[in-house]
Amino acid sequence: MKIYPVILSGGSGTRLWPLSRAVLPKQLLPLVSERTMLQDTALRLHGRAQMMAPLVVCGNEHRFLVAEQMREIGVAPLGILLEPVGRNTAPAVAAAAHYLRAIDADAVMLVLPADHVIDNVDAFYAAIEHACTMVDGGALATFGIVPTAPETGYGYIQSGKPAAAAHCYSVDRFVEKPDRAAAEGFVAAGNYYWNSGMFLFRADSYLKELQEYAPAIASATEAAVGKDYRDLDFCRLDEASFTACPSDSIDYAVMEHTRHAIVVPADIGWSDVGSWSALWEVQQQDAQGNATRGDVYLDDVSGSLVRAESRIVAVVGVKDVVVVETNDAVLVCHKDQVQRVKNIVEHLKTQQRTEHLHHTKVYRPWGCYEGIDIGERFQVKRITVNPGGKLSLQMHHHRAEHWIVVSGTARVTCGEQVTLLTENESTYIPIGTTHRLENPGKLPLHLIEVQSGSYLGEDDIVRLEDVYQRA
């Protein structure tokens, strides 16, 4: 049996602010290991028997980061499907099902969020093998995590009678996130499992049930895939069709209604890392129960998570706290209050601030830039252009730019003139002049950009030509 992993890499991970931002969400961050969560998910599948190359579903704004992170680990995806807008998991999986069925009429889909931790990979594959015995008969399998505590932050699945195959059970019901007393009762009952959001089923079986219980999603996603088109290495779903699709989760759209749902209990060391306290639980801790990362100094601290991204963070005489520092924000909260972090993000949105959207370092398909200083009518950035990277041919209506090469080689187009600049050389781009920056060398290009003018926003870019098709 061929199994096609479908990795869902949408979402913004607001409960892990200030590290997770809309432009760089948690699945694209190295939270648990030195690799990002997306990379860990892909490598968990890579090279395993029956496993085909993964199909990744993500938003348009993350496409180049997803492609680059897959390239870094040497995993060539079957495809990268781009959602024009977020429409929850049922449409995302439906689009993947239509896409896969066109490739393989018998495709079996293993649906996995990109941001989960699984410590016991062998047990995970054993659970997959159990589910495989049922899916050819039309079963839609979900993996129920054997609970280790009465967790109130997860939904639950109540199992029913044993199914035809060993280690598989019918599903009696799905339960929303319970209160503490109900969660304790679920754990004591022994037949309730955390809802992992991971599934295994045939593409045609899922689409058949979707057509019965959520036909609007089935038809809209079929149209979105039928009118898709290639954009470099990406597959763009038709925007009008997908935008018109109702937004719903797999559970609400299909699993709570179908008569073919089964649950496979999985004791696999799982976490969805849905909060800072959840991240603390899965990280290595010292003798005092502290999990740290970066330049951290602790004195009389216990049971805490402290993470420093850009400078030393010193914490003294506290316990059970979360301290997270980034270039432009610092979070301090008690571990019991981490669910309220999303309120901070909502506040930033209502105040029309940008700290929930992106970091001071912003990634682009050609490299990245980082804000160093900003004031009235000026802004300073540090720019890195990858070998072979090429910015768009562009112009600005409201700002001029000075470029100073720190290291590497820059090919600069300014109007009709093309020049090569090396270390300690500089150039000036007047307002309204067509220009482009390229790295023709084999080493990264580092330079300092000084912008000056009446308006310095990123939307003052008129792209005339772009190898990344953003023009």
Side-chain angles (χ1 to χ4, degrees):
M1 176 185 293
K2 294 179 181 179
I3 299 176
Y4 294 85
V6 175
I7 302 177
L8 304 180
S9 188
S12 57
T14 55
R15 288 179 294 176
L16 289 178
W17 184 89
L19 207 56
S20 180
R21 313 270 177 114
V23 175
L24 191 64
K26 70 171 185 173
Q27 65 268 23
L28 302 179
L29 293 169
L31 291 178
V32 180
S33 72
E34 296 305 311
R35 295 181 297 270
T36 69
M37 301 195 77
L38 170 65
Q39 290 174 325
D40 281 340
T41 301
L43 288 174
R44 198 176 295 138
L45 310 165
H46 189 57
R48 290 275 181 161
Q50 297 180 289
M51 289 293 167
M52 308 302 288
L55 177 65
V56 183
V57 185
C58 68
N60 178 65
E61 67 275 18
H62 301 145
R63 66 193 188 282
F64 292 111
L65 278 170
V66 167
E68 175 62 16
Q69 290 191 5
M70 298 294 280
R71 186 200 64 79
E72 287 175 352
I73 59 174
V75 175
L78 178 67
I80 299 177
L81 292 186
L82 302 183
E83 297 177 287
V85 293
R87 284 294 180 262
N88 214 317
T89 55
V93 175
H98 287 297
Y99 184 91
L100 290 173
R101 193 172 62 167
I103 297 172
D104 181 351
D106 297 318
V108 174
M109 307 170 59
L110 175 63
V111 179
L112 303 172
D115 54 0
H116 288 183
V117 170
I118 295 176
D119 286 333
N120 192 337
V121 177
D122 288 338
F124 174 52
Y125 274 93
I128 293 172
E129 287 297 321
H130 297 319
C132 282
T133 60
M134 296 288 293
V135 297
D136 265 344
L140 278 62
T142 183
F143 298 93
I145 305 302
V146 177
T148 56
E151 175 62 56
T152 59
Y154 298 140
Y156 285 73
I157 302 169
Q158 183 184 15
S159 65
K161 296 178 180 179
H167 306 288
C168 300
Y169 300 86
S170 64
V171 173
D172 273 2
R173 62 172 179 149
F174 288 82
V175 185
E176 288 295 315
K177 297 175 182 178
D179 58 26
R180 181 75 181 185
E184 290 174 348
F186 294 163
V187 174
N191 66 329
Y192 285 83
Y193 305 94
W194 293 339
N195 189 347
S196 69
M198 301 187 295
F199 306 89
L200 185 81
F201 38 63
R202 286 176 59 104
D204 54 6
S205 297
Y206 174 70
L207 292 175
K208 179 182 178 182
E209 298 301 288
L210 190 70
Q211 183 63 50
E212 181 172 351
Y213 298 110
I217 295 177
S219 59
T221 52
E222 183 176 19
V225 174
K227 301 175 186 176
D228 66 3
Y229 64 95
R230 301 293 300 181
D231 176 3
L232 300 176
D233 294 330
F234 310 106
C235 176
R236 288 188 178 274
L237 300 174
D238 178 65
E239 183 171 1
S241 302
F242 200 79
T243 301
C245 182
S247 177
D248 217 341
S249 69
I250 294 180
D251 289 344
Y252 286 140
V254 174
M255 298 300 290
E256 293 186 3
H257 308 288
T258 179
R259 299 178 299 277
H260 302 290
I262 65 166
V263 59
V264 181
D267 189 0
I268 57 178
W270 173 91
S271 172
D272 71 346
V273 196
S275 67
W276 286 113
S277 59
L279 181 60
W280 170 79
E281 289 175 356
V282 301
Q283 289 195 305
Q284 185 175 353
Q285 300 168 10
D286 63 19
Q288 287 73 45
N290 299 310
T292 63
R293 185 158 179 164
D295 192 1
V296 172
Y297 170 83
L298 303 181
D299 181 1
D300 190 25
V301 176
S302 62
S304 297
L305 183 149
V306 183
R307 185 166 180 136
E309 294 294 310
S310 64
R311 71 204 79 186
I312 184 171
V313 172
V315 183
V316 179
V318 295
K319 63 179 181 179
D320 299 332
V321 298
V322 171
V323 181
V324 181
E325 175 271 338
T326 68
N327 258 333
D328 59 346
V330 177
L331 168 71
V332 181
C333 70
H334 194 277
K335 270 189 343 199
D336 290 345
Q337 301 298 316
V338 293
Q339 297 297 335
R340 294 167 63 181
V341 170
K342 59 186 178 183
N343 297 340
I344 303 172
V345 175
E346 291 304 314
H347 170 75
L348 295 172
K349 290 178 181 178
T350 59
Q351 295 299 307
Q352 297 185 322
R353 299 183 59 138
T354 61
E355 289 92 339
H356 66 290
L357 294 174
H358 52 72
H359 292 272
T360 56
K361 177 180 281 189
V362 178
Y363 291 89
R364 291 289 185 257
W366 43 260
C368 63
Y369 68 83
E370 184 173 8
I372 299 174
D373 195 10
I374 188 170
E376 187 176 355
R377 297 182 64 87
F378 83 92
Q379 183 170 211
V380 182
K381 293 181 178 180
R382 180 187 294 114
I383 296 178
T384 300
V385 184
N386 297 328
K390 180 186 295 187
L391 280 68
S392 61
L393 183 66
Q394 59 185 247
M395 58 86 70
H396 310 294
H397 290 295
H398 304 288
R399 71 173 185 249
E401 295 175 343
H402 295 259
W403 294 342
I404 305 99
V405 176
V406 176
S407 63
T409 301
R411 180 186 289 126
V412 177
T413 299
C414 184
E416 299 298 321
Q417 186 176 8
V418 179
T419 58
L420 286 178
L421 300 179
T422 57
E423 187 172 329
N424 292 325
E425 295 183 325
S426 63
T427 191
Y428 170 67
I429 310 295
I431 292 176
T433 302
T434 300
H435 61 280
R436 166 176 267 161
L437 175 65
E438 306 173 53
N439 179 1
K442 297 184 181 300
L443 298 174
L445 165 64
H446 299 283
L447 57 84
I448 300 298
E449 176 182 84
V450 180
Q451 303 176 355
S452 60
S454 59
Y455 179 73
L456 306 174
E458 281 301 305
D459 53 350
D460 181 25
I461 299 177
V462 179
R463 290 192 174 96
L464 306 174
E465 179 186 304
D466 185 38
V467 297
Y468 308 108
Q469 298 187 16
R470 297 170 298 165

